[in-house]
Amino acid sequence: MDLHLSTAEPSTAERDAVDATFALLAPAAAVPAVADRPNRAVHAGHAARSHRHLLLPLLHAVHDAEGWLSEGALNHVARTLQVPPAEIYGVATFYAMFSVEPRAPRVVHVCDDVVCGPNGGEEIITELTAALGPEGGARDTSAAPASPSGTTDAPPGGDGPVGADACWVRSPCLGLCERAPAVLHQRAGEPDLSQAPATPSAVLDTARTRADTTGDQAAEADRAFADTTVSAPQTRTGERLRLLRRVGVVDPSSLDDYRFRGGYAALRRAVDLGPSRVIAELKDSSLTGRGGAAFPTGVKWEGVAQSPERPHYLVCNADESEPGTFKDRVLMEGDPFGLIEAMTVAGFVTGATVGYLYIRGEYPLATRRLQDAISAARARGYLGGDVMGEGFAFDIELRRGAGAYICGEETALLESLEGFRGEPRNKPPFPAQKGLFGKPTAINNVETLYNVLEILDIGGRAFGSVGAGRSTGSKLFCVSGAVATPGVYEVDFGTTLRELLDLAGGVRGTLRTALLGGAAGGFVMPGDLDVPLTLEGARDIGATLGSGVVLVFDDRADLTGTLRRIAAFFRDESCGQCVPCRVGTVRQEEALARLERNAPIGSRETEIALLDDLARVMRDASICGLGQTAPSAVMSAIDLGLIASPNGHPSTNGHGGDR
């Protein structure tokens, strides 16, 4: 392939970052040399392009080192992978965490979403604007250099601007809703760090303080953060926790401690049973996917296992980005070896020798712990060419996302893994028939995989006896907002919403409503508190369990503003591939912004009629679930009369009230 490149060349640091990462991830491939002609490169294209799936790791390598992606760096990535530079640029600009413009080396991502925004996020943004300037400040090469100690000339007390050394940007949900408000520090040449609950002064101090080169400071910050974040938030006398039983108990860095607490017993049980018997246990359990689609896991695994086409692949979807969702993060941070074991079981059963763990880029602590767990398991023979000496091969490659909610959709995730923009594919064919690299692929989310360990521990029929109807086993719920103790709570399916809120310490103030199922879910009223939390129970009241979000609002909440934030989220996260979603999400947010300002075009009834029309088009004509569910919460609020009227009181629009 002829690549027509610009004359821009990478810096030495950029070239080294790309070459070192490529050599590590594709050791059998030589790094292509620069062609004789400076703006044109010709290589054996097919062999080089077979490594296109390394595009995301290469972009991360440069961005981690330099803080942005220069034209020269993108050219070098294009040469290395033999991918046209326009496609490289298209992928780089698809993700919110990448910048193709010069930018300060330290970026503070401030969550302004539905939980953090009204609970301190906007105050942090106000303070950062005063200290660091407007959003997204560019890198200024004329700024004073850092001192040998790594600090800038900015006053240590935070009274003056940091200048070119740091900037801030607004961020969608960072998955730290139980500790709102939250920020993420993305720092060139240094480990990324989460900070929650955050205060303006603490955020500025972290932005000004350079981590030491050994990473000890980052490790210490991780430990301090984890001590207050990763813990089983519920202790229920007489009831056995299943998925959360090791969180806050096991040492997440110790394989030996994991084994001491029952780790790898499930994998040994799976090997003893054999793939077909494990699938039978999964079917007996009636385990359904916990990512929202609720597809039977045993059926999915059986379809992949029986496919004659090889190779098979396994993908763990750890890209939870739904506002209000953080359950998978708690599992991965607190019990990382559990996910490694569960993926190994899935690989053994489905006949996959390689599994890809795709984790969202905003989870630095979970990413580090999982990478350490993978390395430890590989070193001890729990991953590799002969797992546990049982004669089967399985290994895991971790891939970091870079800020794209749409990549939580399974086919968009596959596109991202293959090195393309994360745009959903048309279905059928489904991934079980034609998935990653066109091969049969089993895709499961984190919570689903942890349930497999429980099934192998107690048996499929015993698992199926827990819960109600199609909803078997236990479910993790992310409870946040106006409750006394936000956190992840594990309850058996069939537990009522009232009982779940009681576990979280009860509602602070007077309950007005709760958003069930996340931004793509719907609102429930105080009269619905005794609904059983099952797939069927939620459907009976016109709601959905979705990703397990329970976001509680009291009577002081600005629900119109919340809906506008949800609409803005979907507008930003639409991949733009289809017109109904690309245009509909923009028009939806514009209408809600006008309602929030009390400046409707025509009348409020006209705006609500427009929202209804937009919802119908997006639901009926969007390619994927993002567009189809983008209006769900908005239409639920309209139906229940939760959008405030001009006098500040709820407007029923002929519908609302308690059910």
Side-chain angles (χ1 to χ4, degrees):
M1 173 184 288
D2 287 359
L3 296 181
H4 295 272
L5 308 173
S6 70
T7 58
E9 291 295 327
S11 68
T12 300
E14 291 169 335
R15 187 187 303 276
D16 290 346
V18 171
D19 293 352
T21 302
F22 185 77
L24 176 66
L25 298 178
V31 177
V34 178
D36 293 336
R37 285 172 287 183
N39 66 336
R40 196 164 181 232
V42 183
H43 299 290
H46 180 74
R49 288 194 302 278
S50 68
H51 293 102
R52 178 166 180 155
H53 67 285
L54 300 180
L55 175 54
L56 201 53
L58 295 188
L59 294 178
H60 268 300
V62 176
H63 207 279
D64 288 348
E66 296 297 300
W68 70 294
L69 301 169
S70 72
E71 185 179 352
L74 295 179
N75 276 346
H76 188 56
V77 172
R79 288 192 194 99
T80 301
L81 299 181
Q82 284 293 281
V83 174
E87 294 187 29
I88 300 290
Y89 182 84
V91 172
T93 54
F94 184 81
Y95 297 97
M97 294 182 72
F98 290 150
S99 174
V100 294
E101 299 293 336
R103 183 164 82 171
R106 300 182 202 162
V107 183
V108 183
H109 298 258
V110 185
C111 179
D112 69 342
D113 223 308
V114 292
V115 180
C116 288
N119 291 286
E122 292 296 341
E123 287 80 359
I124 291 175
I125 286 172
T126 299
E127 294 293 330
L128 292 184
T129 301
L132 306 183
E135 180 177 8
R139 186 190 298 258
D140 181 2
T141 56
S142 66
S147 70
S149 64
T151 60
T152 68
D153 292 336
D159 296 328
V162 176
D165 197 54
C167 68
W168 68 273
V169 296
R170 290 179 179 269
S171 170
C173 182
L174 293 171
L176 296 164
C177 315
E178 82 278 31
R179 292 175 51 75
V183 304
L184 171 70
H185 295 271
Q186 188 181 22
R187 311 182 299 180
E190 307 169 44
D192 293 350
L193 292 173
S194 296
Q195 195 172 16
T199 62
S201 60
V203 170
L204 280 170
D205 286 346
T206 303
R208 289 182 168 114
T209 305
R210 182 175 298 277
D212 60 73
T213 57
T214 65
D216 290 343
Q217 188 183 71
E220 183 60 38
D222 280 348
R223 283 192 291 272
F225 177 75
D227 285 344
T228 54
T229 301
V230 180
S231 62
Q234 103 191 72
T235 54
R236 301 182 64 186
T237 303
E239 182 168 335
R240 174 174 176 261
L241 292 177
R242 298 173 174 86
L243 306 179
L244 294 176
R245 66 183 182 272
R246 282 188 290 260
V247 174
V249 177
V250 71
D251 179 354
S253 66
S254 172
L255 176 56
D256 288 332
D257 193 28
Y258 177 72
R259 292 180 60 209
F260 175 75
R261 300 181 189 278
Y264 282 102
L267 179 57
R268 294 192 180 279
R269 173 73 171 155
V271 172
D272 290 342
L273 291 174
S276 61
R277 186 65 186 127
V278 173
I279 290 173
E281 293 287 343
L282 290 175
K283 289 184 172 181
D284 288 344
S285 74
S286 298
L287 173 66
T288 57
R290 302 301 201 238
F295 190 84
T297 303
V299 174
K300 179 185 290 188
W301 286 19
E302 183 177 48
V304 175
Q306 293 182 351
S307 176
E309 188 173 6
R310 299 284 171 168
H312 297 172
Y313 290 101
L314 171 74
V315 174
C316 173
N317 184 348
D319 192 50
E320 67 168 358
S321 306
E322 183 94 8
T325 310
F326 46 93
K327 59 186 177 60
D328 291 350
R329 190 207 86 232
V330 169
L331 286 172
M332 292 185 291
E333 290 177 353
D335 188 17
F337 286 101
L339 183 55
I340 305 309
E341 181 183 6
M343 288 184 66
T344 308
V345 170
F348 170 72
V349 173
T350 61
T353 59
V354 177
Y356 287 90
L357 202 173
Y358 188 101
I359 187 170
R360 70 176 302 198
E362 295 91 340
Y363 282 176
L365 176 58
T367 299
R368 286 191 277 272
R369 286 189 169 173
L370 284 167
Q371 191 60 70
D372 289 346
I374 291 170
S375 298
R378 190 178 291 139
R380 298 278 288 274
Y382 291 100
L383 292 173
D386 185 14
V387 175
M388 298 194 309
E390 295 291 345
F392 74 96
F394 183 75
D395 212 338
I396 295 173
E397 294 193 29
L398 188 144
R399 291 286 186 270
R400 291 160 56 199
Y405 167 73
I406 188 61
C407 289
E409 196 279 336
E410 61 181 8
T411 61
L413 188 155
L414 296 178
E415 290 288 300
S416 180
L417 278 174
E418 291 181 11
F420 296 91
R421 291 166 63 89
E423 296 175 346
R425 303 171 182 174
N426 287 316
K427 294 184 286 189
F430 294 94
Q433 292 83 44
K434 192 173 279 294
L436 188 64
F437 310 125
K439 302 298 182 182
T441 303
I443 304 179
N444 294 105
N445 88 324
V446 171
E447 185 185 353
T448 306
L449 288 166
Y450 276 88
N451 272 284
V452 173
L453 302 181
E454 174 69 6
I455 291 167
L456 288 168
D457 183 26
I458 66 174
R461 293 189 184 278
F463 185 95
S465 68
V466 177
R470 287 186 59 229
S471 306
T472 60
S474 60
K475 179 76 182 79
L476 299 180
F477 287 95
C478 311
V479 185
S480 61
V483 293
T485 312
V488 176
Y489 290 87
E490 180 180 354
V491 296
D492 292 346
F493 272 116
T495 300
T496 66
L497 181 56
R498 187 186 304 277
E499 290 170 331
L500 176 63
L501 295 182
D502 287 343
L503 276 178
V507 178
R508 298 197 315 263
T510 302
L511 175 65
R512 182 175 179 188
T513 186
L515 180 60
L516 190 60
F523 289 92
V524 296
M525 302 299 285
D528 298 320
L529 290 183
D530 292 315
V531 63
L533 293 173
T534 62
L535 301 174
E536 301 85 354
R539 185 171 58 247
D540 288 344
I541 61 169
T544 176
L545 297 185
S547 55
V549 172
V550 179
L551 177 54
V552 180
F553 298 91
D554 61 19
D555 55 358
R556 298 170 297 174
D558 175 13
L559 289 181
T560 304
T562 295
L563 291 170
R564 196 268 307 156
R565 289 178 189 271
I566 289 174
F569 169 79
F570 282 115
R571 177 209 66 205
D572 287 340
E573 298 299 335
S574 172
C575 74
Q577 181 180 191
C578 68
V579 173
C581 180
R582 182 175 70 241
V583 177
T585 53
V586 173
R587 296 292 173 257
Q588 177 175 256
E589 196 232 353
E590 290 173 347
L592 286 165
R594 291 192 294 267
L595 290 174
E596 186 180 23
R597 299 194 307 268
N598 191 24
I601 296 176
S603 66
R604 296 181 66 82
E605 289 69 25
T606 302
E607 295 284 23
I608 289 173
L610 172 61
L611 287 169
D612 185 66
D613 288 343
L614 289 168
R616 293 175 187 273
V617 172
M618 284 191 281
R619 281 196 297 252
D620 293 343
S622 295
I623 288 177
C624 79
L626 186 148
Q628 294 161 11
T629 60
S632 296
V634 174
M635 297 313 297
S636 171
I638 291 174
D639 183 61
L640 295 171
L642 292 172
I643 294 183
S645 62
N647 61 12
H649 298 293
S651 172
T652 64
N653 301 308
H655 300 290
D658 292 354
R659 279 185 276 254

